[in-house]
Amino acid sequence: MMSKSDSAPFSYEGLDRVIHEKARLGLLTSLMAHPKGLAFADLKQLCGLTDGNLSRHLAVLQEAGLVEVTKGYEGNRPHTTCRLTKTGRRRFLDYLAVLERLVRDAAKAAGREAPPLGRLGILPT
């Protein structure tokens, strides 16, 4: 019996819609580069988002179990820290593997060789 991936090789089922949205992709990439987490303000600046947009996208990622948001205080000031969960890290790496396949397939269809994403510093070679 053929699986969906065998019968529809270009469906890219692993392109997770929660991750694939541009702002969330940027958030996850930022958090992947900072395993100990980032302050809300730093994440906001890195991704070029407003407070409201960042809050909404973090809520979606948090509901999906990809991101953990910790609220507390530093001195008398509120401080929010965001970090990837273990599940978030695994799902993001799985997502990147699907993207790598997509890039290879597209390059092959265009008649060119795609560089491994590891050479681009995205995935380990």
Side-chain angles (χ1 to χ4, degrees):
M1 175 179 258
M2 284 177 65
S3 72
K4 181 169 180 166
S5 62
D6 293 337
S7 64
F10 299 112
S11 65
Y12 303 107
E13 289 296 315
L15 288 181
D16 187 327
R17 287 182 180 269
V18 170
I19 296 172
H20 199 68
E21 197 285 327
K22 180 183 168 228
R24 291 192 289 268
L25 184 57
L27 291 171
L28 291 171
T29 301
S30 298
L31 293 173
M32 185 68 120
H34 298 87
K36 292 185 180 187
L38 284 168
F40 185 93
D42 294 334
L43 201 49
K44 176 183 156 184
Q45 187 216 356
L46 283 170
C47 297
L49 297 171
T50 64
D51 286 351
N53 280 342
L54 178 54
S55 292
R56 181 64 193 123
H57 288 298
L58 284 173
V60 169
L61 293 170
Q62 201 173 7
E63 288 167 18
L66 304 178
V67 169
E68 177 180 271
V69 177
T70 307
K71 296 182 183 228
Y73 286 89
E74 275 189 2
N76 290 332
R77 303 187 83 196
H79 183 76
T80 301
T81 303
C82 310
R83 71 174 188 82
L84 280 177
T85 62
K86 285 182 183 177
T87 298
R89 186 173 205 66
R90 187 184 70 249
R91 278 183 54 192
F92 189 61
L93 289 172
D94 291 346
Y95 172 86
L96 290 177
V98 174
L99 273 184
E100 183 176 27
R101 194 175 93 231
L102 184 148
V103 169
R104 275 196 318 264
D105 291 348
K108 186 176 176 182
R112 297 199 320 241
E113 182 71 27
L117 293 181
R119 250 193 294 160
L120 300 174
I122 297 173
L123 292 174
T125 52

